[in-house]
Amino acid sequence: MSLQETHLEEALVRAQEAVRKAAEEGRGRLRGSRTPVLAVTGGKGGVGKSNVSLNLGISLARQGRRILLLDADLGLANVEVLIGSSPRFHLGHVLSGECTLEEAVYYGPAGLGLVSGGAGLSDLAAFGPAAVRRVMHSLEKLSQGFDLVLVDTGAGIHPQVLTFVRSADYVVVVTTPEPTAMTDAYALMKAVGLQDRLVGLVMNQARSREEAEQSYSHLSSVCSRYLGTKPVYLGHIPADPAVPQAVRAHAPLVEFAPQAPAARAIAALAAGLAGSWLWSHFLAGAKSPALPPEPAKSGGTGGFWRRLLAAITAGDSHG
Ligand SMILES: Nc1ncnc2c1ncn2[C@@H]1O[C@H](COP(=O)(O)OP(=O)(O)OP(=O)(O)O)[C@@H](O)[C@H]1O
Ligand SMILES: [Mg+2]
């Protein structure tokens, strides 16, 4: 076993222990009826947002969590391509009234619920405020049947991406150690505002643990200096040929090659998230070891759909 694998193994064991403790303390019951929304974003294109969202979603679902993944990637339907199936309906059909939101939910690996953005999300506002309001209310209602909603966003800092990210309760920024990706991640964090929300950072496609940690350290010191605060380091995912192999096979990495280093890193990330701040906010009595249990200040956990609706109908998603 390589040094990196040993580290991953240790992280997994620690995270599993944290999950067990949190579940014991709270008996796995989620408090409150509102479901938190976590946006996976990144700034630069191709850094691994969709692979992280999908495989994180499946890993969390395997732990018995009910996860809904909303593919908000501007009509590019990345997630569908990664799982190799195309749901019959997407959000565009729901917006135009061709189907109900329930009909548009596709249940994939490990029972992960997927709502495809299809062509629907490229310009939500174009469907008119009444349709958007109806769909946001349906999404809010649907999300109550889940423990967590993951939103896979598109690349860049376009207004529509920012609308989703700013509305989310929690944000995970995916970057790679490449300077261009880090610059874009910084620009995104600056645009989103680090002060008002919990932002975690994942260093993907790292050649080594050291490279990942050094890159995070560099990025976080720039954030501290210019933004007054820094993202929380959630860990790294190694550069791994199994990822493009899984993509080419149209199979999620954690199913295609569960023992591959990147798959194990994502599973460890899921276990870490499940055992720490994210769930501890909802688990009765559980304490957050890593982060203050505060969701986005702009409205509290669960206000996502309302914040999104307000932003879209105010024209915030245009541009
Ligand atoms: N850990 C990794 N190791 C090796 N290759 C990776 C890794 N993560 C991602 N990739 C490669 O990067 C490509 C892009 O990944 P993905 O589609 O998840 O990125 P994205 O950020 O969602 O892209 P977009 O901005 O286009 O939505 C994948 O097809 C895969 O080949
Ligand atoms: Mg993507």
Side-chain angles (χ1 to χ4, degrees):
M1 194 180 273
S2 72
L3 191 59
Q4 186 169 55
E5 281 173 336
T6 311
H7 284 310
L8 283 174
E9 196 70 45
E10 285 167 8
L12 196 57
V13 168
R14 272 201 309 277
Q16 277 164 348
E17 179 60 15
V19 173
R20 195 189 54 72
K21 264 180 76 184
E24 254 171 28
E25 284 171 30
R27 284 268 47 94
R29 275 306 313 139
L30 293 177
R31 210 200 263 154
S33 60
R34 288 179 163 181
T35 303
V37 176
L38 187 155
V40 178
T41 188
K44 193 170 188 298
V47 289
K49 300 175 290 295
S50 298
N51 272 285
V52 169
S53 316
L54 173 66
N55 290 290
L56 185 61
I58 295 172
S59 301
L60 287 166
R62 281 180 178 170
Q63 294 170 15
R65 308 291 180 176
R66 296 164 302 170
I67 309 295
L68 180 68
L69 175 56
L70 175 62
D71 185 350
D73 195 5
L74 309 180
L76 293 177
N78 274 206
V79 177
E80 292 175 30
V81 176
L82 295 179
I83 61 171
S85 352
S86 47
R88 188 159 158 232
F89 296 118
H90 57 65
L91 209 62
H93 295 119
V94 186
L95 280 155
S96 62
E98 282 166 74
C99 69
T100 64
L101 180 61
E102 286 69 24
E103 286 171 321
V105 185
Y106 176 87
Y107 289 91
L112 174 80
L114 170 67
V115 173
S116 168
L121 290 174
S122 55
D123 189 3
L124 278 169
F127 289 87
V132 173
R133 198 171 296 119
R134 176 176 55 78
V135 171
M136 289 300 153
H137 286 156
S138 306
L139 278 165
E140 184 174 13
K141 219 169 124 216
L142 176 75
S143 68
Q144 283 168 11
F146 292 85
D147 295 327
L148 176 73
V149 178
L150 286 172
V151 179
D152 176 25
T153 75
I157 51 169
H158 307 297
Q160 176 122 2
V161 171
L162 291 180
T163 298
F164 275 96
V165 179
R166 287 196 184 116
S167 302
D169 302 302
Y170 305 98
V171 178
V172 168
V173 174
V174 180
T175 182
T176 72
E178 278 190 0
T180 44
M182 297 232 289
T183 307
D184 288 3
Y186 172 77
L188 175 89
M189 290 188 278
K190 187 176 174 196
V192 165
L194 279 181
Q195 303 280 2
D196 293 346
R197 66 205 78 242
L198 285 180
V199 178
L201 189 122
V202 173
M203 197 58 75
N204 189 24
Q205 302 186 42
R207 283 173 299 182
S208 68
R209 181 192 184 88
E210 290 68 32
E211 182 193 43
E213 288 178 357
Q214 273 168 18
S215 303
Y216 167 73
S217 161
H218 176 65
L219 184 56
S220 72
S221 66
V222 176
C223 289
S224 295
R225 184 157 171 208
Y226 296 104
L227 307 179
T229 181
K230 58 187 184 183
V232 173
Y233 190 48
L234 299 177
H236 80 280
I237 302 167
D240 184 344
V243 182
Q245 279 164 14
V247 172
R248 280 196 291 272
H250 298 287
L253 174 73
V254 293
E255 300 227 307
F256 178 80
Q259 295 308 322
R264 290 160 67 93
I266 295 177
L269 178 68
L273 276 180
S276 66
W277 53 277
L278 185 64
W279 299 112
S280 66
H281 184 61
F282 300 95
L283 290 170
K287 297 274 179 295
S288 168
L291 281 170
E294 288 288 324
K297 279 184 189 154
S298 48
T301 299
F304 175 80
W305 307 109
R306 268 164 239 166
R307 290 193 286 272
L308 195 59
L309 174 63
I312 292 162
T313 47
D316 202 25
S317 64
H318 279 229

